[in-house]
Amino acid sequence: MSPRKQGYFFVLVTMCIWGGFTLFARLNAQWHISAWDIAALRFAIALLILMPILIYKKDLAFLWSKHAVILALIGGVIYCLTVYTAFLYAPAAHAAIFLNGCIPICTAIAAYILFRQPFDKHTWVSLAIMITALALMSVLMLQGNASAFGMGDLLLFISAIWWGIFTVLLKQWKLSAWHSMASVAIWSAIIYLPIYALFLPKHFMEVSSVHLAIQGIFHGVFVVIIATLTYVAAIQRLGAFKTGSIVTLAPFIAAILAVPLLDESLSPSIVVGLVGMGIGALQPWRWFRQDSLAQKIQQQNKQD
């Protein structure tokens, strides 16, 4: 199999898991699994799998970096608690709009605020499209006598902010994919599990053991470990932009699948939001443009 085909295979795996994350997180509301419980499951299972591997490989030194702890706090504990709580209030379509649709813009804003990285023209265009889509969606919702935004939407947007900051710090600090994933998983467990055990409410006894097992395996193994590794593998073979553009489609597909699978509805206002945020996040006008490096190479070939 060629590297290109391998890349698309890894993208497909990542898309399935990321799309499944939206659906499985929404199932927590139907299965009455609290955000506290699902976060504990996610971190505990990942810890039990990863720690023996790191000990066997004698690869523990990176865990003592302050960067590892900060990444775990932002991209692990805080993000997970915020996003899992949001899914208790907001449907899958709203997640595609306010979480996944907003992540690219939140990342760009975080890069500017933290490291003064300026917006490029594509980011400005995306921002304009997204703001227009949100404004139009709000008008349509208000005309339909519905509340434009709810608590779940606010929490989803806050989650996008956390993930944007996490992404920028991850890029700036240049940790490897394996160390980044292991740092977040292990330190999140070390920080969160004692607090959960001592102070937070637990509802395991009220939930089906089958449901707990399904959610624990999916979030602890597939989301934390497998999706991270396949995403990085896809980037190595296809490039960051193409990989990011393709996998960003996953939550939007999940929003459509949630209609028959979770009995959720898609109103005209939500469709407008999905389309607008999808275009802004994917930046399709860049798909058929050569990047600057390719243009330089082409110009050099012409000169030669």
Side-chain angles (χ1 to χ4, degrees):
M1 185 182 294
S2 67
R4 184 181 181 86
K5 290 182 179 179
Q6 291 176 10
Y8 283 116
F9 170 76
F10 289 128
V11 162
L12 178 62
V13 174
T14 308
M15 280 186 65
C16 291
I17 296 174
W18 282 18
F21 174 82
T22 301
L23 299 175
F24 275 83
R26 276 297 291 160
L27 277 174
N28 287 330
Q30 297 186 11
W31 292 351
H32 306 292
I33 303 176
S34 72
W36 313 118
D37 294 337
I38 193 63
L41 275 175
R42 170 176 176 149
F43 298 145
I45 292 175
L47 174 69
L48 291 174
I49 293 174
L50 292 173
M51 185 56 79
I53 296 174
L54 293 175
I55 293 174
Y56 175 77
K57 295 175 64 177
K58 297 181 180 179
D59 185 18
L60 297 170
F62 70 94
L63 290 174
W64 303 112
S65 165
K66 66 178 181 180
H67 293 165
V69 179
I70 294 172
L71 289 173
L73 281 171
I74 297 174
V77 177
I78 299 176
Y79 170 77
C80 286
L81 292 178
T82 307
V83 76
Y84 285 135
T85 303
F87 275 113
L88 298 177
Y89 300 99
H94 288 224
I97 296 170
F98 295 104
L99 176 62
N100 303 95
C102 290
I103 281 177
I105 294 301
C106 289
T107 302
I109 294 173
Y112 176 77
I113 293 175
L114 295 176
F115 301 107
R116 289 294 181 266
Q117 296 179 11
F119 288 5
D120 60 19
K121 62 181 180 180
H122 302 295
T123 302
W124 283 113
V125 173
S126 291
L127 185 60
I129 292 173
M130 290 177 170
I131 291 175
T132 302
L134 289 175
L136 182 57
M137 184 183 73
S138 300
V139 170
L140 291 174
M141 292 180 77
L142 290 172
Q143 288 179 347
N145 296 321
S147 175
F149 302 105
M151 176 59 70
D153 300 326
L154 176 61
L155 290 174
L156 287 169
F157 180 69
I158 294 173
S159 301
I161 294 174
W162 291 129
W163 194 258
I165 296 172
F166 171 76
T167 301
V168 171
L169 293 178
L170 193 62
K171 181 179 179 181
Q172 187 72 18
W173 291 338
K174 302 184 187 308
L175 274 72
S176 69
W178 172 257
H179 284 171
S180 300
M181 178 266 296
S183 297
V184 172
I186 290 172
W187 273 113
S188 294
I190 293 173
I191 294 168
Y192 177 74
L193 291 179
I195 298 173
Y196 171 78
L198 294 174
F199 303 110
L200 297 178
K202 305 162 192 65
H203 303 284
F204 284 122
M205 300 303 295
E206 304 168 13
V207 182
S208 165
S209 57
V210 174
H211 292 168
L212 285 175
I214 292 172
Q215 292 285 8
I217 292 172
F218 180 78
H219 290 280
V221 178
F222 285 87
V223 174
V224 175
I225 299 174
I226 297 176
T228 301
L229 297 178
T230 56
Y231 183 60
V232 174
I235 289 176
Q236 292 172 344
R237 291 161 175 80
L238 298 178
F241 177 73
K242 181 176 288 187
T243 301
S245 296
I246 297 173
V247 298
T248 299
L249 287 171
F252 294 89
I253 296 172
I256 297 172
L257 292 176
V259 175
L261 295 179
L262 302 179
D263 197 26
E264 296 183 355
S265 60
L266 283 180
S267 64
S269 58
I270 295 299
V271 172
V272 168
L274 284 171
V275 173
M277 299 302 284
I279 293 174
L282 293 171
Q283 299 182 353
W285 59 87
R286 296 178 61 184
W287 292 353
F288 305 104
R289 293 170 60 93
Q290 290 181 315
D291 58 33
S292 58
L293 178 59
Q295 290 175 351
K296 289 180 180 178
I297 293 174
Q298 191 176 55
Q299 290 175 358
Q300 289 177 355
N301 291 335
K302 287 182 179 179
Q303 291 175 357
D304 295 340

